[in-house]
Structures are given as C-alpha cells and as structure tokens.
Amino acid sequence: MYPFDGQDKQLDQIESAMEKALVDTGFGEIVLSIPGIGIVTAASFFGEIGDPMRFDYPRQISRMAGYNLVEDSSGKNQSGTTISKRGRKNLRSVLYQMARTIIVVNDEMKELYVYLKTRPNNPLKKQQALVVIAKKVITVIYTLVKKKVGYQAELVLGEFRQNQIKQAA
C-alpha cells in the first residue's frame, strides 16, 4: 500500500465536487472554453468572487482582488505605482496561477505577454506583465459570462491592441 493512495482518492473527490459546483453555476462550460483554464482554477475563481452577475464592470472584480494601482510614495519620495494588495489574497493567487498557465497554452495571451515585456516604450517586468494578463483574464471571463457566449480567440485582443502588437513586431 502506498502512503499517498488515500490522498489521491480525496483529491479526485474534491475535484469532482468542484466540477459539480462549477456546472451548477451555469458558467462552467463558458469558462472552460477558454484555453488554459481548468476545473480547479475556474471553480476557485467563482468560489472567491461569488456570482459574477452582481458586478457591473470587470474592474470591480479586479479591485476585489487588490489589483488596482496606487501611488507608492512617502514624504518627498515618489517611487511610482504598485498594486494595492488590499483585496482577497486567494483570488490574486488563483488569478496568478491562471495567468501563468494561460501564457503557455493560450496563443493570444502569450502574444500579449511577450508584447508587454518587449514593447519599445515602457516594457514591463515579468511579474508586471503577469498582473496585466491576470486582469485581462478577469475581463475575458466577465465578458463571456455576461454575454453567455463561448471563447472566441479573434475577439480576445481588441483592434487597438492588435495594431500595437503588429507595429512592435
């Protein structure tokens, strides 16, 4: 008998319960249509935010996660802006994991990530680019759920962002 045999069974039970809860929300099929988002991350996301229909804008979810920008200054020192982190730590963690997976699996998000890190004006560091991707994931999920449509790769990056990426290439 292996020491982790019972744990694997428990993990399978938890994952199947998460899948059932995700299906019960009615948003499971929509969110799972996004390449790079799985059952566990989608269920964790909805577990943290609750009903997404109660929000008027995706920025409200972003603020709930603590991804809103604040000025980082003290006295005469001004060192720019940072994320506030005045939000749900678990939600930020789930979004970070989603962003890391999505930039590997999802071609549009990978293209945006690479552009953000290599753009000529104000290139972002890896972590900063991941925060932007996480905020983009919030917007994509919110829009798909609100409109009750599946993922469409050609609509993820708007015309403006597509032009920016083409010009930088």
Side-chain angles (χ1 to χ4, degrees), residues 38-111:
I39 293 166
V40 174
T41 52
S44 300
F45 176 76
F46 287 119
E48 282 294 322
I49 70 164
D51 182 14
M53 302 305 259
R54 68 190 175 108
F55 297 100
D56 295 327
Y57 305 102
R59 185 173 284 172
Q60 292 171 319
I61 299 171
S62 178
R63 287 182 64 92
M64 183 183 205
Y67 277 148
N68 50 316
L69 295 175
V70 293
E71 186 178 334
D72 186 22
S73 61
S74 174
K76 294 180 181 178
N77 297 334
Q78 287 190 339
S79 54
T81 57
T82 61
I83 60 172
S84 70
K85 295 187 182 177
R86 295 186 96 188
R88 296 188 177 194
K89 183 179 180 180
N90 290 339
L91 181 56
R92 268 194 317 278
S93 175
V94 167
L95 288 166
Y96 178 78
Q97 293 303 324
M98 280 183 178
R100 284 187 50 144
T101 304
I102 278 183
I103 62 169
V104 173
V105 177
N106 190 313
D107 293 334
E108 300 78 34
M109 295 292 192
K110 181 185 229 172
E111 187 178 14

Side-chain angles (χ1 to χ4, degrees), residues 22 24 28 33 58 60 64 74 97 111 139 143 147-148 158:
L22 190 59
D24 290 345
S33 70
Q60 292 171 319
M64 183 183 205
S74 174
Q97 293 303 324
E111 187 178 14
T139 305
T143 305
K147 293 182 177 181
K148 293 182 171 61

